[in-house]
Amino acid sequence: MFSLMVLFFCRVGGHFVQTRMEDVKELAFRLFHVLFAFACLLVTVATASTTAFTMHRGVNLDPWVTWPLPERWDDEEILTNFPEWRRNTGLEDLQAIRKAGFDFVRMPVDPAIFLQDASEERVRKLLAAMLRSIDLLHKAGLKVVVDMHTIPSDKRKIGTNQISSDPALFARYLDLVGRLGRALSITDPALTAFEPFNEPVVDCDLAVYPKWSALLVQLHAAARNALPNHTLVLSGGCWASAYGLIQINPTTVADDNVIWTFHSYEPYILTHQGAGWTGDAMAYVEGLPYPPDRLGEEGFHEVLEEARHRIEKQAPEDKRKALLNNLNEMADGIADDAKALARLNEPFDQADAWSRQYNIAPERIYLGEFGMIRQEYGKNFLMPAEWRAAYMKDVVAAANKRGFPWSVWSWGGAFGITLADDKRVFDPVILEALKAE
């Protein structure tokens, strides 16, 4: 809106100048008019790509997923240390994030604890704890993206799947977006941004009637009404993938104070090894390196054979064939270094083309999550830091090449970039890779 006002006044001013300069020598008039138009163009372009919040390099803080079950959600210990990373974390730990070269953090906040059997007292305590956490991060010199981090689990009463499929629950969710937004309104828009939904799982199959675009319009309206001056972070569907992003027409939102985000863990077979919660062949894969040629062709195929053996021995009989096909299809996409790197870059090419199509500045396209698993909970295999560092270095290079800001997943947890969750010391090998330009 502001850019349109600037353009209007520039055009009116140009007409005024033209009528008043009729008696001036033609050369001087033309020079003045050209300079005037150029100045208006610069102002218009600048305002069109400006957001209240800017970012460069970030890290995701720990999510709620490893916290206790809902029966403990009213315990004072839980409410006081909300969100999860607050446990055993002090100002010095957060200052270490800033000293490591990160200028912002993405702070997951689980909506379920606000919605599931939540009393007004619980909600008030959670909001107060959230604001204290943001204030602590600001004191550490960090900007904050407050991320309403829904969890896609059918075992939950309230999660991503339920919110996007139940109109009544989605209406409650919109009310919560408004309430969290109003709480955040006291924060500095230059230091705090708001992401009202994490990884919608709908719209992966466009043969099914698309849902996310219409839901996104409602989500944006609820957040913007609560936060008129803060930058909003919005995504497409299909797990906030680049594929989901390019299905969105951003003119339906028509808001210059928005940063568009996508997540990428491609090639998936490399980044999610051993993760049993994925529900696919990943649970049976251990030891695939990055880049794939690191072990040589023979070593690469030995790892795949071991994964096939685990599927045949451990997977339910009625699922083995599908899992083996799934494994073979994914493995083919990383058969050599060139294929793996092409798969890694594909989401960035999609997001870049989309941003150019809609004339969105690259600093408003944000890689909100990327990473490579360190160690799946309950498993012995530990991914070598050198493999993870090589992968993250190539992802950062892909983002930097296109001018996209990014935040790595994550500070702690299975994908953590620290040496251990309890000590919060960054892995120096990975940290060096993330600093690469």
Side-chain angles (χ1 to χ4, degrees):
M1 178 62 72
F2 180 71
S3 60
L4 292 176
M5 292 173 61
V6 172
L7 185 58
F8 170 77
F9 284 116
C10 284
R11 288 176 176 173
V12 170
H15 177 71
F16 174 77
V17 169
Q18 187 174 5
T19 57
R20 298 292 294 175
M21 297 288 293
E22 290 176 354
D23 296 331
V24 180
K25 292 182 179 180
E26 184 176 356
L27 182 59
F29 163 73
R30 288 181 178 178
L31 178 60
F32 186 89
H33 196 269
V34 167
L35 291 173
F36 186 86
F38 182 67
C40 289
L41 178 62
L42 286 178
V43 173
T44 304
V45 170
T47 55
S49 61
T50 298
T51 55
F53 184 92
T54 59
M55 55 172 72
H56 184 40
R57 298 175 173 176
V59 60
N60 282 265
L61 299 180
D62 301 352
W64 176 265
V65 291
T66 57
W67 270 54
L69 296 173
E71 50 265 29
R72 289 197 56 208
W73 284 358
D74 283 311
D75 289 4
E76 197 62 32
E77 177 191 359
I78 302 301
L79 297 176
T80 302
N81 291 299
F82 183 81
E84 176 177 10
W85 55 267
R86 288 283 302 278
R87 291 190 298 181
N88 305 316
T89 301
L91 181 61
E92 289 185 1
D93 299 303
L94 302 177
Q95 289 172 331
I97 296 178
R98 186 71 188 94
K99 290 177 182 176
F102 300 104
D103 58 292
F104 76 99
V105 295
R106 182 171 179 251
M107 185 180 85
V109 175
D110 184 10
I113 193 173
F114 288 88
L115 293 172
Q116 184 174 323
D117 304 323
S119 66
E120 179 63 23
E121 180 183 8
R122 181 204 291 177
V123 173
R124 284 200 304 268
K125 288 182 177 180
L126 289 170
L127 291 175
M130 180 184 72
L131 291 173
R132 286 195 301 271
S133 300
I134 294 170
D135 184 57
L136 188 63
L137 290 162
H138 288 166
K139 286 180 179 177
L142 293 161
K143 299 180 182 181
V144 185
V145 175
V146 179
D147 157 41
M148 290 184 69
H149 201 93
T150 50
I151 308 297
S153 171
D154 290 327
K155 296 179 181 179
R156 284 187 152 214
K157 288 184 179 179
I158 296 176
T160 312
N161 306 347
Q162 297 87 347
I163 292 169
S164 59
S165 62
D166 183 342
L169 183 55
F170 187 72
R172 288 180 60 205
Y173 187 84
L174 292 178
D175 289 341
L176 178 60
V177 167
R179 182 150 188 188
L180 261 67
R182 288 188 293 275
L184 293 173
S185 65
I186 65 172
T187 64
D188 185 345
L191 300 179
T192 309
F194 185 38
E195 183 174 353
F197 204 97
N198 172 69
E199 291 192 350
V201 298
V202 296
D203 291 4
C204 288
D205 183 0
L206 293 182
V208 181
Y209 183 76
K211 293 181 60 176
W212 183 244
S213 184
L215 297 179
L216 182 63
V217 170
Q218 299 177 61
L219 196 66
H220 169 262
R224 179 53 73 216
N225 287 340
L227 280 173
N229 300 316
H230 285 63
T231 298
L232 303 179
V233 178
L234 303 178
S235 78
C238 196
W239 301 85
S241 61
Y243 168 81
L245 180 65
I246 65 177
Q247 312 306 325
I248 297 295
N249 182 344
T251 63
T252 60
V253 169
D255 186 341
D256 284 343
N257 197 11
V258 164
I259 291 174
W260 295 93
T261 187
F262 71 100
H263 299 173
S264 181
Y265 291 94
E266 295 293 345
Y268 176 71
I269 187 173
L270 293 175
T271 62
H272 281 67
Q273 297 177 56
W277 45 267
T278 61
D280 54 24
M282 288 298 89
Y284 305 93
V285 180
E286 287 183 0
L288 281 178
Y290 186 88
D293 290 350
R294 186 184 288 268
L295 295 181
E297 185 176 354
E298 184 177 347
F300 178 79
H301 287 293
E302 283 179 1
V303 173
L304 291 175
E305 279 304 311
E306 290 173 1
R308 294 186 184 101
H309 180 73
R310 291 190 194 98
I311 291 173
E312 290 169 351
K313 293 294 184 181
Q314 301 172 17
E317 187 174 355
D318 60 337
K319 295 183 178 179
R320 289 174 191 168
K321 183 177 180 180
L323 288 170
L324 287 169
N325 289 338
N326 176 233
L327 175 64
N328 292 335
E329 181 181 356
M330 289 190 292
D332 183 62
I334 59 161
D336 54 50
D337 289 0
K339 279 190 173 183
L341 190 59
R343 179 63 65 88
L344 183 153
N345 274 278
E346 183 179 359
F348 294 89
D349 292 336
Q350 291 177 322
D352 186 49
W354 182 83
S355 70
R356 294 175 188 275
Q357 177 185 353
Y358 291 105
N359 196 30
I360 298 173
E363 60 266 24
R364 292 178 56 201
I365 307 294
Y366 158 49
L367 177 62
E369 288 185 22
F370 71 96
M372 189 177 194
I373 198 165
R374 174 178 61 183
Q375 185 174 30
E376 172 64 340
Y377 298 110
K379 293 199 174 182
N380 294 324
F381 181 74
L382 179 66
M383 189 72 66
E386 292 77 12
W387 298 5
R388 301 177 70 214
Y391 172 76
M392 293 183 202
K393 184 175 182 178
D394 281 353
V395 174
V396 167
N400 290 345
K401 175 182 176 181
R402 296 159 179 87
F404 299 164
W406 50 261
S407 57
V408 62
W409 185 274
S410 59
W411 197 26
F415 283 71
I417 61 171
T418 51
L419 294 171
D421 288 352
D422 57 342
K423 294 183 180 179
R424 299 296 191 188
V425 176
F426 284 110
D427 187 317
V429 176
I430 291 176
L431 191 61
E432 187 64 27
L434 292 173
K435 290 180 178 180
E437 291 294 342

